Amino acid sequence: MKIRQIKKSILGALLLLMTLVSCKKAAEQFSEPYPVSTGGLGIKMDRVKPAQPAVGGPGTEVTVVATGMLPYKDRLVFMFNGEKAEILEITDSYIKVKVPEFASTGVLSAAVGDVITFGPSFKVNGLINLDPTFKVPYGANAGVSQILDLLDGRHLIVGAFTNYNNKGLIRPINRIVSTFSDFSFDASLRSGKGANGMISSILEHNDKYLIAGSYSGYDQRIDNISNITMLNKNGSIDTMGIHPFRRPDQKDTIKYYPRFNGGADKYIAKVYRQPDHKIVLSGAFDFFISRRYDQPNRRKEKDSVILDSIRMPQIMRLNADGSLDKTYRFNVALNEGLKAANGPSQAIFHTDAKHQGKVLLFGRFSTFDGKAVRNIIRLNPDGTIDETFNPGTGPDNSVFSVTYNSTLDRYVVCGGFRTYNGKPCEFLALLKPDGSLDEQFTAKKFNGPEVSFAKLLDDGLMVVSGYFNTYNGVSRNGFMILNSKGELAPGYNATGSFNGSLIDAIETRSDDNKRALLLIGYIRTFNNEPVNNIIRITLE
């Protein structure tokens, strides 16, 4: 049987086994959970007894306790997490092998035809490791969406979590947390009960914070919020006093409502502040929402809140106070926004000088404002279609993520597509600023349904994650680092299984000043280790 066929037949079993078997549980014996077995062949490997050595890099000679292999020495295939190893020696009691060039941390296995047996775990040394100086060992208990760096060195972190580094066990930390510069918990934020739904985006605005996402209440304010609101610097909601309607026989009073009087009927994914302090929103919404607080009810007995809505699909711009800016993507004659995409879309906002204020939209659509386009388009700062961005026929299927590197002036596009502008381009593409393919980068063959995230680093390396288990025939379980040509970067791809989805990979430094990446999103496993949605890894 060919090596690639063997890989495919055992990858699912390997992923399960890597979850069950780790160095921390070396003293435990697991029963055979797999339908395949070498019992009839008489081959046995001890899963508990570590290989000698149990850690090493490519080229290391490794001895594994094993019996019953000698009769099959001419047919036996030995693998490190799915990668074929050179067999140096087979005896009645052990097998000696050499760690292959593209080996990664995981389970050792042996195959005779389509019959497989599994051995102990082996850690492959590489240039990527979890950062031991990162002071968030327990992470967040749900997804992390964004990290806002503050001028004083602290950070505001938002997402779907209700606990951060186990500091929310007594009082929940609902979707927003403040940390010191080292990411340890800062208790000074007065967010109270926090948001009652996910916060996806945060920015500084007029010496306050705007938070957006999918929620309808914040702290004590359980109504009159439509997925976006303004916070004071201490984390409390920014409110305004309103004199509501009163009959002449009633006493005048003041009620307090959120000051930012604007929002959307559905999820807001991203918020961006333009230099003129206007706010651009993107998301899955259809309507702009605002409220009037000083109107009487129908019988003129008491005050009421009147909800106003204007159709504004997917992208809109608000004035500093939250009111709708009708000079941006608005049809005055129809009193509604332009059509936008005819399918789901997401956006990235340019803050760099080269493309300041432009918005790139991507997703799954075939028209935008009635114009035929396919899954990707860019807008000018005034909201009109940017004709200088020309992707041709674009990607032939959904785009899940786009990131932009301002240093290199390149976009990285990934998703479920297989061609870009008619050219073969599976799941992953590097684009020039005009939307054309950068053909110096060529993605290789994936085994898996899609790539969900990719980002170009300033030195040209690319972080890629998704739902794949091989790349160019090499075992890579959901996470890899590519070079500028689209090849696996030597030394950076020894990590074991990755389980989850990345939202961002932020270039930074470790506490001991090593090059590092801060990874956030919905991350459950990294390098075979359980993690919780926010980690820092070193690139040495």
Side-chain angles (χ1 to χ4, degrees):
M1 176 174 285
K2 293 181 179 180
I3 299 306
R4 186 172 297 182
Q5 292 175 319
I6 296 174
K7 290 181 184 178
K8 291 182 179 178
S9 70
I10 67 172
L11 277 169
L14 284 173
L15 290 173
L16 178 59
L17 185 61
M18 286 186 289
T19 303
L20 295 174
V21 182
S22 68
C23 294
K24 294 179 181 178
K25 295 187 176 182
E28 297 180 17
Q29 178 70 50
F30 296 99
S31 60
E32 173 65 72
Y34 308 106
V36 292
S37 172
T38 54
L41 300 179
I43 295 176
K44 293 182 181 179
M45 271 197 294
D46 192 334
R47 296 187 192 169
V48 174
K49 190 169 184 178
Q52 296 298 321
V55 178
T60 302
E61 295 186 3
V62 177
T63 301
V64 182
V65 174
T67 58
M69 290 185 175
L70 194 55
Y72 308 100
K73 64 179 182 177
D74 296 328
R75 300 165 52 200
L76 188 78
V77 175
F78 196 91
M79 293 187 178
F80 285 71
N81 196 25
E83 283 303 301
K84 182 185 176 183
E86 179 187 351
I87 298 174
L88 302 176
E89 184 182 2
I90 298 178
T91 72
D92 287 331
S93 58
Y94 67 84
I95 182 171
K96 183 180 288 187
V97 293
K98 183 181 292 187
V99 179
E101 180 183 3
F102 287 106
S104 56
T105 296
V107 175
L108 304 178
S109 63
V112 178
D114 60 355
V115 183
I116 307 160
T117 190
F118 298 94
S121 294
F122 186 88
K123 184 181 185 305
V124 180
N125 291 327
L127 299 176
I128 293 180
N129 292 284
L130 285 168
D131 179 9
T133 72
F134 190 50
K135 296 180 173 60
V136 193
Y138 302 106
N141 68 340
V144 175
S145 302
Q146 184 189 339
I147 299 174
L148 177 65
D149 297 330
L150 306 180
L151 290 176
D152 62 5
R154 292 180 302 140
H155 313 278
L156 288 178
I157 304 175
V158 296
F161 52 86
T162 57
N163 193 359
Y164 177 83
N165 207 25
N166 275 356
K167 300 300 182 180
L169 295 177
I170 298 175
R171 180 175 66 84
I173 300 171
N174 286 325
R175 290 96 191 183
I176 183 168
V177 66
S178 176
T179 75
F180 295 109
S181 59
D182 63 359
F183 289 92
S184 60
F185 177 67
D186 171 20
S188 66
L189 192 72
R190 302 306 177 194
S191 56
K193 295 180 180 180
N196 63 0
M198 183 182 69
I199 302 174
S200 60
S201 189
I202 181 171
L203 59 77
E204 291 192 77
H205 177 60
N206 293 344
D207 204 34
K208 300 179 190 295
Y209 304 117
L210 269 180
I211 55 171
S214 181
Y215 65 96
S216 59
Y218 184 89
D219 196 15
Q220 302 299 323
R221 305 288 168 180
I222 59 174
D223 52 18
N224 301 316
I225 295 175
S226 296
N227 303 307
I228 186 170
T229 199
M230 186 122 58
L231 305 183
N232 296 308
K233 278 298 182 77
N234 65 2
S236 63
I237 192 167
D238 183 28
T239 59
M240 59 182 177
I242 298 291
H243 289 271
F245 170 82
R246 286 291 184 268
R247 298 192 313 268
D249 60 327
Q250 293 176 314
K251 289 184 178 180
D252 187 25
T253 187
I254 295 179
K255 288 188 175 181
Y256 289 89
Y257 299 95
R259 185 182 302 277
F260 193 81
N261 186 13
D265 64 318
K266 297 176 186 174
Y267 171 63
I268 300 172
K270 296 286 185 181
V271 291
Y272 162 66
R273 190 183 72 167
Q274 293 184 330
D276 59 3
H277 295 273
K278 291 188 177 183
I279 305 299
V280 183
L281 314 180
S282 71
F285 49 80
D286 294 306
F287 290 91
F288 165 76
I289 300 293
S290 63
R291 293 168 173 82
R292 288 180 287 163
Y293 300 111
D294 58 352
Q295 303 296 307
N297 64 1
R298 185 169 298 178
R299 295 182 180 181
K300 295 188 177 181
E301 296 171 333
K302 58 182 181 179
D303 63 288
S304 64
V305 176
I306 297 178
L307 196 69
D308 288 332
S309 64
I310 299 175
R311 182 169 174 77
M312 284 296 307
Q314 300 178 349
I315 183 167
M316 60 182 164
R317 187 167 69 187
L318 308 183
N319 297 309
D321 62 356
S323 60
L324 181 64
D325 178 4
K326 294 185 179 181
T327 68
Y328 183 84
R329 298 191 48 75
F330 195 77
N331 188 322
V332 176
L334 298 176
N335 194 39
E336 65 178 27
L338 302 183
K339 293 179 181 180
N342 66 341
S345 71
Q346 302 179 62
I348 62 171
F349 299 109
H350 276 285
T351 59
D352 57 291
K354 297 173 186 175
H355 309 290
Q356 178 73 52
K358 292 187 176 184
V359 182
L360 188 138
L361 292 132
F362 60 93
R364 184 174 178 82
F365 49 85
S366 58
T367 66
F368 192 91
D369 289 349
K371 177 182 178 180
V373 295
R374 187 184 284 182
N375 305 320
I376 190 168
I377 193 169
R378 192 169 68 193
L379 305 182
N380 293 308
D382 63 359
T384 59
I385 294 174
D386 180 3
E387 301 293 349
T388 67
F389 184 84
N390 182 16
T393 58
D396 67 339
N397 209 330
S398 299
V399 177
F400 302 141
S401 171
V402 176
T403 58
Y404 172 73
N405 184 292
S406 60
T407 301
L408 302 177
D409 199 16
R410 289 292 186 272
Y411 297 100
V412 183
V413 180
C414 62
F417 54 85
R418 294 183 182 274
T419 67
Y420 187 94
N421 195 21
K423 298 180 180 180
C425 188
E426 188 176 66
F427 300 165
L428 181 63
L430 187 67
L431 305 186
K432 297 176 181 179
D434 63 0
S436 63
L437 275 174
D438 184 341
E439 297 188 43
Q440 293 185 7
F441 176 92
T442 303
K444 307 303 187 290
K445 179 68 177 176
F446 288 89
N447 180 36
E450 64 191 45
V451 174
S452 59
F453 175 86
K455 187 172 183 178
L456 193 63
L457 306 182
D458 287 346
D459 65 353
L461 292 177
M462 184 184 294
V463 180
V464 182
S465 75
Y467 302 95
F468 52 86
N469 47 43
T470 70
Y471 180 76
N472 199 26
V474 176
S475 294
R476 293 308 304 137
N477 295 311
F479 180 89
M480 61 186 178
I481 304 289
L482 304 182
N483 64 20
S484 59
K485 295 181 179 179
E487 303 161 340
L488 289 168
Y492 288 98
N493 289 285
T495 54
S497 65
F498 174 92
N499 186 2
S501 56
L502 287 182
I503 290 178
D504 204 358
I506 304 162
E507 296 192 68
T508 184
R509 309 292 297 185
S510 65
D511 288 355
D512 53 1
N513 204 34
K514 292 178 181 177
R515 186 185 182 199
L517 290 177
L518 191 61
L519 304 182
I520 63 172
Y522 293 80
I523 314 167
R524 296 176 291 279
T525 305
F526 185 87
N527 198 18
N528 293 6
E529 296 289 335
V531 295
N532 291 299
N533 306 305
I534 177 171
I535 59 174
R536 193 165 65 198
I537 61 174
T538 56
L539 284 70
E540 300 184 41

